[in-house]
Each structure stands twice: as C-alpha cells, then as structure tokens.
Amino acid sequence: AGVTWGVIQYHFGSREGILMAVVEEGFASLRGQLESVEIDTTDIELCLRAVVDAVWDYHAQPEYLLYTDILRSLRRDQDSLAELEGLLARIDDELSELWTKILEPAMPPGGLSTRLLQRFIFATTRGLAVTRSLRSEEQSVSEERDLLVRALTMLLQDPVDG
C-alpha cells in the first residue's frame, strides 16, 4: 500500500490501535444496517423481521468473522482490555439507542426490554452466522430467522409471567 510502519504507528499508536479501529469499523457497518431500517408500522412482527434481517445482513458478511476474531484477540491482551471494554460499552449504548428507536413504538407495554431483545437477537443471529461458516457449503438460514421472528412475536404478544 506504500505506507510505512512508522506512519501506521503514528496514526494508530500500536498494533492494538489498528485492531480497535477495525472493531469500530465493524460496528459502524452494523450501525449503518440498523440506520437503514425504516419502519412505518407498529406491527411487532414486521418490526422484528426488519431488525433481524438487518442484523443478519451484518452477521452474514465475510468480514464479520474477522471482526469476531479481532475482538477475541483483543480480549486476551490485558494492556488493551480497559480501552476495549470502554469502546464496547460506548458502541452498545449507541446501538441500543437505534434498537429502541426502531422497536419501542411496536413493543407492548410491560414486556421485555429492548436491550434484552437486542442482545438476544444479536446473539442468535451471530450463532447462525458462525454455524453457517462451519458448514462445507453455504446454506440459507432463512427458516431459522423466520422461526426467531415468529417466536419473539408470540412471546411479545402474549408474555408469560414468571
């Protein structure tokens, strides 16, 4: 690329600084996916489907697994762990605001929090992406995504006490 290590180190400070920038770029991609979600309904199933599809589009990118590997590597580095935790907390807050803006108008009162829903959808679609990456051939997970949306819709429409 015609760039010296000195220039890279000046801009990013360290190898970990470069990796943090990659992590931020990854979350910027997710933020862009969520910002592109346009909901003009209070139908919870349609809202959930739009969000699940947007998060899936992020997780389905080949780069997503790279972001995950970088995050795992940074977590093992005690020198950058505090900075990483701060970055992840800030990103989580930013994304939570987006999720709330998208989902809250359709959320029934007294049900699950949007933050819990956010984490569950994120973890589930992440699991689907990792599972798909481990298969010898790329397979669709549209049935699994549809099941996730339908199950969450049923839960939100008829919450179980407990």
Side-chain angles (χ1 to χ4, degrees), residues 92 95-96 99 113-123:
D92 189 47
L95 294 177
S96 185
W99 286 76
S113 73
T114 55
R115 190 162 277 221
L116 177 59
L117 201 54
Q118 165 192 348
R119 290 184 175 147
F120 184 75
I121 291 171
F122 193 85

Side-chain angles (χ1 to χ4, degrees), residues 67-126:
Y67 302 145
T68 301
D69 288 343
I70 290 171
L71 270 171
R72 292 175 66 211
S73 174
L74 285 168
R75 284 204 172 280
R76 289 189 291 266
D77 179 24
Q78 293 301 311
D79 294 335
S80 60
L81 191 56
E83 183 181 353
L84 176 64
E85 292 295 333
L87 172 65
L88 294 176
R90 181 179 55 79
I91 289 168
D92 189 47
D93 288 343
E94 288 176 17
L95 294 177
S96 185
E97 287 179 29
L98 283 170
W99 286 76
T100 299
K101 183 177 125 190
I102 296 166
L103 290 174
E104 200 161 87
M107 294 285 286
L112 296 176
S113 73
T114 55
R115 190 162 277 221
L116 177 59
L117 201 54
Q118 165 192 348
R119 290 184 175 147
F120 184 75
I121 291 171
F122 193 85
T124 304
T125 55
R126 175 179 45 214

Side-chain angles (χ1 to χ4, degrees), residues 42-54:
T42 57
D43 183 308
I44 190 64
E45 184 170 358
L46 294 176
C47 291
L48 287 169
R49 189 164 309 283
V51 169
V52 167
D53 288 348

